[in-house]
Amino acid sequence: MADRITVIGWDGTPLTEAAAAALAAATLVAGAPYQLKALPVPPAAERIALGSIQLAARRIAEHRGAAVVIAEGDPGFFGVVRTLRRPEYGLELEVLPAVSSVAAAFARAGMPWEDAQVASAHGGRLRRAANLCRAHPKVAVLTAPGAGPAELALMLRGVHRTFVVCEALGTPDEDVTVLTSDRVADHIWRDPSVVLVIGGSSAGGPGGGPANGAAGEAAGWLAGRPVGYPGPDRGWALPTETYTGTGRTPAPPGAPADPGAPGAPGAPGASDTLPAHVRALVLARLGARPGDLVWTVGAGSGALAVDAARFGAAVVAVEADRSACARLAVNARRYGVEVEIVHGRGPDVLGELPEPDAAVVETGGPEAVRAVLSRRPERIVAVARTLAEAEEVRRVIAGAGYRADGALLQSAPLLPPAGAAADGPGLRLGMGDPGTFLLWGAQKP
């Protein structure tokens, strides 16, 4: 193993005294070709042009002498330090960081960034980075060859954002370009770059509170969260009455006359908003998380769509009723989340939507479930109005090669005895709801 291994972060400014001394004493120097050319590498030192970090780490482990690895900005932030610290290499490092490329990019833009999300598009993660940009109003994306600004903009087609593209930061060739997302794909960009993706229709970011912070507002306290986080609303699967415009949809043709039957007017499943306890199980089965894209088909007033977005997932809500779409937009703004609303009937519009990681069919029955499954989400949840429909939906899910399961969810309130004070002793079981048929599936390993 090398006698001493120093990882130097370089942002284009003069090296610190410690970094310059380490570089002058090095007998092996690894870095990008432009770094090896621009910095005073000792003439006798072995040079390694960094391509594969793993290969460089093995060579450094075999080297006898002082080794230096030169990296961009802060090498401990989405940088080479993680790989070099792997146990199989047995390397002990001294890290001398510079300003990270993300910090430099936000500085060039003149923006605060403690509330920003930071994502790397390396390793085939461009789609997940794009989903993060759909869900959050301020995201920095570290690009990679084949996953640059143009490819990111194409992933966000139809979603209006402002791109701040920072190329060759800290070098004489540095360039910062500001464009709307629809114009980014028309340009040829250098690799690698840092892209700031800014904007969105909501007044705030996930979790409540303003996304960027109004002038004069106190700074945030938790990195990656909006100023004002966590906001006044705790928990998830919020009570139905907290959403604007929740109510009942007209009874569908052939709905049961028995008001106690699932699918009857007034029963869960006939409402455009699922009860909170049902939404809680739906969210658990969806497993929505940052970087995911979730479809909600037949989204109604958007309670479930907003719930999923509050977990940090990107959400596309499909709804055929224009007034419900308007209520959904109000609810998304109220809770400070980004929800892309698509007006139309599920099976008719799904072909134009980006690939889902998870999906829920709130209305639409087996036809909508079949259409969603044709896009192969990892997980699906569907609401059925009758036992017969639940059986058919389960067959559709299982027939598509998914592990299928389901349940009838029923609940009843606990109330004080009749005529007793609300805080008095004793409880009675209130009238229960008739239940909601819920089916779910996950791709088999």
Side-chain angles (χ1 to χ4, degrees):
M1 185 179 72
D3 300 331
R4 185 175 74 247
I5 304 165
T6 306
V7 183
I8 298 174
W10 187 51
D11 57 8
T13 61
L15 294 176
T16 64
E17 184 177 342
L23 183 59
T27 55
L28 180 151
V29 180
Y34 81 92
Q35 294 168 332
L36 297 177
K37 181 179 179 181
L39 291 172
V41 177
E46 177 184 350
R47 298 181 179 218
I48 298 177
L50 277 182
S52 167
I53 305 298
Q54 291 85 352
L55 290 176
R58 284 197 284 269
R59 177 67 191 97
I60 292 168
E62 297 167 353
H63 183 70
R64 293 296 177 267
V68 165
V69 178
I70 305 168
E72 290 186 356
D74 183 352
F77 187 67
F78 290 99
V80 299
V81 170
R82 182 172 300 279
T83 299
L84 295 175
R85 288 277 298 176
R86 287 181 182 173
E88 59 263 36
Y89 303 129
L91 304 179
E92 295 184 6
L93 311 177
E94 178 185 8
V95 181
L96 304 176
V99 175
S100 76
S101 57
V102 173
F106 277 108
R108 302 297 191 272
M111 298 176 66
W113 65 286
E114 77 273 12
D115 55 340
Q117 301 287 318
V118 181
S120 171
H122 291 250
R125 296 185 179 91
L126 178 62
R127 193 179 71 86
R128 298 193 68 81
N131 288 340
L132 204 66
C133 296
R134 289 175 175 273
H136 295 270
K138 186 188 291 185
V139 182
V141 180
L142 302 169
T143 67
E151 291 84 359
L152 179 61
L154 289 173
M155 285 272 187
L156 293 172
R157 188 173 49 209
V159 179
H160 180 74
R161 294 290 188 270
T162 297
F163 275 45
V164 182
V165 182
C166 302
E167 301 173 280
L169 285 171
T171 74
D173 297 324
E174 177 180 310
D175 196 11
V176 178
T177 308
V178 180
L179 288 173
T180 54
S181 51
D182 58 319
R183 298 173 57 199
V184 172
D186 298 333
H187 291 251
I188 297 175
W189 305 98
R190 287 171 287 174
D191 292 315
S193 59
V194 181
V195 182
L196 309 183
V197 183
I198 310 296
S201 58
S202 70
N212 300 314
E217 226 171 7
W221 65 278
L222 184 61
R225 298 291 185 176
V227 175
Y229 177 86
D233 300 296
R234 297 180 70 92
W236 44 283
L238 299 174
T240 301
E241 59 270 17
T242 63
Y243 291 99
T244 298
T246 55
R248 303 287 168 179
T249 55
D258 176 8
S271 172
D272 68 356
T273 302
L274 296 170
H277 67 278
V278 176
R279 281 184 277 119
L281 182 57
V282 171
L283 291 166
R285 293 291 176 260
L286 286 177
R289 59 191 178 182
D292 281 351
L293 178 65
V294 177
W295 288 357
T296 61
V297 180
S301 296
L304 187 55
V306 170
D307 280 335
R310 291 179 72 232
F311 278 92
V315 178
V316 177
V318 177
E319 174 53 50
D321 183 80
R322 288 194 182 277
S323 61
C325 289
R327 295 194 298 271
L328 200 162
V330 170
N331 285 319
R333 285 195 298 271
R334 176 180 178 182
Y335 288 101
V337 294
E338 294 290 327
V339 175
E340 183 180 346
I341 302 170
V342 177
H343 174 252
R345 181 176 167 271
D348 298 334
V349 299
L350 299 184
E352 301 299 320
L353 301 185
E355 297 299 320
D357 296 284
V360 55
V361 178
E362 298 188 60
T363 59
E367 180 189 8
V369 172
R370 194 174 289 110
V372 169
L373 288 172
S374 69
R375 299 293 294 277
R376 306 303 295 174
E378 294 177 14
R379 300 168 302 285
I380 185 171
V381 182
V383 178
R385 292 180 178 275
T386 65
L387 180 59
E389 184 175 279
E391 291 174 347
E392 186 175 355
V393 168
R394 190 180 191 282
R395 281 197 299 272
V396 170
I397 294 174
Y402 287 67
R403 294 192 306 268
D405 207 343
L408 171 62
L409 274 73
Q410 296 175 301
S411 70
L414 295 176
L415 305 172
D423 58 351
L427 287 173
R428 65 183 173 88
L429 195 62
M431 181 177 295
D433 65 55
T436 302
F437 291 111
L438 209 60
L439 293 304
W440 57 86
Q443 287 190 12
K444 295 178 180 178

